[in-house]
Each structure stands twice: as C-alpha cells, then as structure tokens.
Amino acid sequence: MLAVLQTGRELSGPELAARLGVSERTLRRDGERLRRLGYGIESRRGPGGGYRLTAGTRMPPLLLDDDEAVAMQVGLAIVAASGARRVKEAGGGMNDGSADGTADGPGGIAEAAEQARAKLLQLLPPRLRPRAGALHEALEVGVPSAPDVEAGALSALAQAIYDHRAVRVAHARDGEECTRREVEPHRLVHRYARWYLLAWDRTREGWRTFRVDRLHVIAPTGARFVPRAVPEGAGGEHLREAVRRGRQRVELEVSATPAEIADALPYEELELSPGEGGATRVVAHVRDAAWVPHLLAVLPGTARVLGPAEVRQAVLAQARAVLAAHDEGSTLRGDELERRGAPSPGRVDEDQEPG
C-alpha cells in the first residue's frame, strides 16, 4: 500500500484494492494499522473519496513494529562493532577474532552498517524514533575484532552466486605471493568472525574456501555455470573441516558442565562429550600447542591435557618456564638465556669455575 501511494495520487478504495489484489475490507484494516504505526495515511469516505499519503510525505517511514525496530538496531550494531578495527594478522591467535587491529577503512561493511543505523532513525515512524534513538545511544556491543570486508565485495560475490556466473579472484595471505583463480562461487559463509567464500576452483578441480578480506580482485567472467551439489553440511561444515585440517587437535578433561564450558568460550569450535566422574571431555583445534595454556586458563573448573603426548610435554615445558620466571631472584633475561643454553649474568653453571 505504501509503495503504491508513494506516487502522491489519491486512489479510490476499489481502485487501490484492485491494484493490491485485496478486498476493500482488508484495505480499510491495513490502512488503520498503518495509522496506528504512525504512517500518514489519509482516507475519505463517500463519492470522490479515497486513500493518499499526507502532504509532504516523499518517502514513507519503514513499516516496522517495536520488536523489528529493536532487532534491526541490534543487528546493525553487531555488524558495525565486528569491523570496528581492521585486524592485522597475528601469528598465532587461538581464535580468528583475537588479534588486535587498526581503524576500519572506508567502504567497509562495518562503516556501511553504522551509516545505515543512523539513517534508520530517520525512517522510523515518529512513535518509534525516541525508543530507537535511546537504544542507539545506550547500546554497546562487544564482539571479536575482525578484518573488515568491503560491502561491494560481498555484493559482487552474492550477485555472482545468484546469477551462476564464474569469477576471477586474486587471493593472497599476508606476506605470501598472490595467486589468481577462476572459481564458481556457491556460498558466502560467516564464521570465526570472518567472511568466507565457498567455491569450486576450476583450476584445481575441487572445493575451496577463501577468506573474502584476502580477495584483492573480484572480476566476473561473464561465463555461466551449472550449480554443483554443495558438500554435505553446506558451507559451514565444509569450512569447519577445512580450518581444522591445518590445526592441532587437543583433547582435554574439564571439571565443568558442557554449558559452563560453552559459555566461557563462545567463539570456539569445541567438541563436548561426557567424561568420567561428571567431568567433560573437550576436543579443541588450535593453531599450535602454545595456545593450549590459554585454553586451560579460560576454561572453568580444573582442566588437564589428555593428549596428544607432545602437546602435554609442550604445556608442561611452558608451565616450568613460567614457574622459573617467578622464582625469587629470577630474571626473565636470565631464564631466557638459560633456555637457549647460554649462562646468565650473575649465575655460575655447575661445570663452570668462577673466573
């Protein structure tokens, strides 16, 4: 109704009902509902009467109820916060959203979300604007910082997926040489605070996942393709397995419930199962063993490493190094030198006579 009346013309009840394909009774009910939501709908009964938007209304407010307005504000705030800092790749973040970064750049989806969030206030019905404005000022969202993605990149890939058109992409990790691929895009997946593209790589003849923030060139080829059957579990499961292949599997036993563990590590992909004596067995996939102590520190209750053996040894070595660094009279410089096999200043090795 709002779209039809946006032309500025006054339409009679029968004419407007015919345009919308509804009865005049439904038309009257919808018009009344729009007025309750604060929309400027005028209606005049009798011969020559009809429906029109109030004078000066060029763009009608959004047709949202209270809960929908709140949901849009919260959703846009989360998107804006997730790209508030552009992440510089760190060598060993335990989860993909843990690294620090610099300010978000122009053209990113986070910046677009913040702009849309401000515009939303102007498009809401007058009745909802004060509540939405209060929510805008009061809301603070904490999410893992992540590399921002240009809104245009997501839009171009989504259009290629919809049109079934192949694209040429240039993909490069930080510090690595850029590779060019021709791919058939099938899914955009948001996981681990990142945007990924699931595509069929025509060169390597297999499914591949690409981080969208690492695609420096996205050029449609114009060639159409026949969509393939997406791997079992769709993009999310395929991506999870792809990420795990390059990580270290670690098994832990934790004296806490699965719910407590999931609450402590909401952004981690953990496999939780019942253990002995009320404990929970946890399987995690980390970039390397150096991040296991972080897991142990964050997990509720008491946690111990069950395997693999080399990870247990690495964790024990780190624990000994931490204890040694906190011994009375110890210095970090001295401990570091000893770990490298060199004598530390002010100390005498057992097989070294004092000079």
Side-chain angles (χ1 to χ4, degrees), residues 160-236:
I161 292 170
Y162 181 81
D163 293 338
H164 304 148
R165 293 188 183 275
V167 296
R168 292 190 182 94
V169 297
H171 177 263
R173 294 186 175 90
D174 289 352
E176 294 186 8
E177 185 178 352
C178 184
T179 61
R180 297 186 179 275
R181 315 278 186 88
E182 184 171 318
V183 301
E184 300 172 1
H186 280 69
R187 293 283 191 279
L188 282 170
V189 183
H190 189 262
R191 206 173 192 90
Y192 312 112
R194 302 284 195 271
W195 280 103
Y196 292 87
L197 172 68
L198 174 65
W200 178 266
D201 190 327
R202 288 182 164 182
T203 303
R204 303 189 180 185
E205 297 186 345
W207 291 102
R208 295 292 186 271
T209 52
F210 304 93
R211 271 180 44 178
V212 177
D213 61 287
R214 290 174 173 169
L215 299 180
H216 302 290
V217 178
I218 301 172
T221 64
R224 289 184 178 273
F225 63 86
V226 177
R228 302 171 186 268
V230 175
E232 184 178 356

Side-chain angles (χ1 to χ4, degrees), residues 318-327:
Q318 290 184 61
R320 285 192 289 267
V322 171
L323 289 173
H326 288 79
D327 281 347

